Amino acid sequence: MSSFIFTSESVSEGHPDKVCDYISDSVLDACLEADPQSRVACETLCKSDTVVLAGEITSTATLDFDTIVRQAVKEIGYCDPAEAFCDTTLKLIPIITQQSAQISQGVTASTSQSGDQGAGDQGIMFGYATDESDELMPLPILLAHKLTRGLAEDRKAGTVDFLRPDSKSQVSILYEGHEPREVTAVVVSTQHTESADQKTITEYVREVLGPRVLGDWWNRSAQLHVNPTGDFSHGGPAADAGVTGRKIIVDTYGGWGRHGGGAFSGKDPSKVDRSSAYFCRYVAKQLVASGLARKAEIQVGYAIGMAQPVSVKVETFGTGDERAATDFVKTFDFRPRAIIEQLDLLRPIYRSTTNYGHFGRTGLPWEARQAATTAAK
């Protein structure tokens, strides 16, 4: 029986890149709340006391970027005026134009060459599902997210007073015959107050956080590394620059399952690198839940401005009937308009997707387990 160790990482909402993702998705939600037909591609950069917004937005919404950005930063927890990066003292530089008319004519159904809503860009998207967890997610990324989310929960609840917003986690799992057996290593790096020492933080992770969030998967004999540099009192955008879209593996499957390369945050669902990736995950979940395979990966390719994908590929990794799985996937409609309608994506739901993975969490429409209602065209 083959055995190997696989590792995935997660980052918290206070990580500089995730701060940028959350700001971008906050701008997107503000647009969709006022105008569901908004076209949005919003990028954010943050460093020290400055936030830069850049991108293309075409919308009837009247946007107060300053309020949106400061509210997002406040919600994350950067509210200390003594720090360089703070909601009340930061500087904002907006650089926003409208969407290119040449892109718009290919996306808009009335002007596209296909006569239907076209893909907002060319590209390849992947979706993955596995029965190794109840959430149909790879276990390493699932457990890594539990650790960073747990840090945020304890910080916001005030139960652990030395925690600060920026943190990362990493979980390594031993597999035997492609079945997860035990956690072999855990790494937790969390920003903290200057008065907190490494021993105190380690005891908190070992005695409180780990057992609480990992449950039966917490392994006291596993390697445990907590703030392995020895000090992490200086963190967040004050210490490191952040940019939207740099945590695409954290956002998806933790390296287990391929990635097409397109980021999610700040993009409205006409951008298929977001909406189609969500739909590929939805279809992969239905395939595994149906019992046709234990593991499934869907790949879809698009040409910009075209409605029908140029390719749809199904992979079951030898865990199911490939032909039956392919026939099953053919019953789904991968046109952008059909995806948007089936998953009801023209809603301000995207701030809720930004942190702790876009997949494997309840309440998101692509995480529902149900048969498709839109037949293939």
Side-chain angles (χ1 to χ4, degrees):
M1 182 179 292
S2 64
S3 64
F4 58 91
I5 294 174
F6 194 89
T7 302
S8 293
E9 74 158 346
S10 174
V11 299
S12 72
E13 60 213 66
H15 185 282
D17 294 331
K18 275 293 152 196
V19 171
C20 293
D21 285 348
Y22 192 64
I23 290 172
S24 293
D25 277 335
S26 295
V27 171
L28 171 60
D29 275 0
C31 290
L32 293 177
E33 187 171 11
D35 176 11
Q37 300 303 319
S38 296
R39 300 277 173 80
V40 181
C42 180
E43 312 289 345
T44 304
L45 178 148
C46 62
K47 174 59 184 169
S48 299
D49 63 348
T50 302
V51 172
V52 179
L53 281 184
E56 301 79 48
I57 297 177
T58 300
S59 177
T60 63
T62 300
L63 300 175
D64 182 347
F65 291 121
D66 190 77
T67 297
I68 294 169
V69 169
R70 293 183 192 280
Q71 180 62 28
V73 171
K74 180 179 180 180
E75 290 172 4
I76 293 168
Y78 288 110
C79 314
D80 184 354
E83 297 291 332
F85 190 75
C86 174
D87 66 311
T88 57
T89 59
L90 64 81
K91 295 180 292 187
L92 174 63
I93 302 174
I95 312 171
I96 304 291
T97 64
Q98 291 198 333
Q99 182 182 65
S100 164
Q102 294 172 337
I103 295 176
S104 178
Q105 72 181 11
V107 175
T108 304
S110 61
T111 57
S112 72
Q113 295 188 64
S114 66
D116 195 352
Q117 179 171 339
D121 202 350
Q122 71 173 52
I124 55 175
M125 297 85 215
F126 289 92
Y128 183 79
T130 172
D131 67 356
E132 69 185 60
S133 67
D134 291 341
E135 295 86 350
L136 302 187
M137 284 288 288
L139 195 59
I141 186 66
L142 198 66
L143 298 187
H145 285 321
K146 287 180 182 291
L147 288 167
T148 48
R149 182 190 284 272
L151 288 167
E153 290 170 347
D154 287 348
R155 171 176 61 86
K156 292 179 178 181
T159 55
V160 183
D161 61 7
F162 55 74
L163 294 174
R164 291 298 179 262
D166 191 1
S167 65
K168 303 176 76 171
S169 70
Q170 193 169 279
V171 175
S172 302
I173 294 181
L174 171 67
Y175 282 77
E176 294 179 349
H178 295 277
E179 298 291 337
R181 296 304 182 193
E182 67 175 6
V183 172
T184 61
V186 171
V187 181
V188 173
S189 295
T190 179
Q191 184 186 8
H192 56 84
T193 59
E194 292 186 0
S195 60
D197 59 74
Q198 189 177 19
K199 180 181 178 181
T200 299
I201 302 169
T202 300
E203 288 179 353
Y204 155 69
V205 173
R206 184 177 56 240
E207 303 300 331
V208 179
L209 178 70
R212 176 172 71 83
V213 302
L214 299 192
D216 292 341
W217 285 105
W218 179 246
N219 179 8
R220 288 189 174 274
S221 64
Q223 298 180 58
L224 176 62
H225 301 279
V226 178
N227 286 6
T229 68
D231 188 4
F232 188 8
S233 57
H234 185 44
D240 296 297
V243 179
T244 298
R246 282 206 297 207
K247 289 295 174 283
I248 58 177
I249 301 304
V250 170
D251 287 344
T252 52
Y253 308 104
W256 199 309
R258 285 169 282 197
H259 198 295
F264 299 155
S265 289
K267 298 176 182 177
D268 76 84
S270 71
K271 279 62 172 184
V272 285
D273 41 6
R274 184 171 209 165
S275 57
S276 182
Y278 289 170
F279 196 62
C280 286
R281 162 66 176 171
Y282 175 78
V283 174
K285 279 196 69 172
Q286 310 317 308
L287 201 162
V288 171
S290 72
L292 290 172
R294 295 189 60 197
K295 302 178 188 295
E297 182 182 77
I298 314 296
Q299 188 217 45
V300 179
Y302 291 91
I304 188 170
M306 296 291 105
Q308 292 287 357
V310 299
S311 65
V312 179
K313 183 182 181 297
V314 183
E315 173 66 65
T316 61
F317 307 97
T319 68
D321 185 328
E322 200 84 19
R323 180 175 299 231
T326 299
D327 289 341
F328 177 81
V329 171
K330 286 180 179 178
T331 66
F332 293 83
D333 191 340
F334 286 86
R335 294 174 302 135
R337 180 171 64 85
I339 292 172
I340 290 168
E341 289 176 353
Q342 179 159 341
L343 298 182
D344 195 13
L345 296 180
L346 296 178
R347 297 177 290 149
I349 61 173
Y350 296 99
R351 283 153 50 94
S352 66
T353 71
T354 310
N355 296 301
Y356 313 113
H358 290 244
F359 308 126
R361 297 192 286 120
T362 59
L364 303 175
W366 47 92
E367 289 299 310
R369 297 193 200 183
Q370 60 188 42
T373 56
T374 306
K377 301 290 171 88

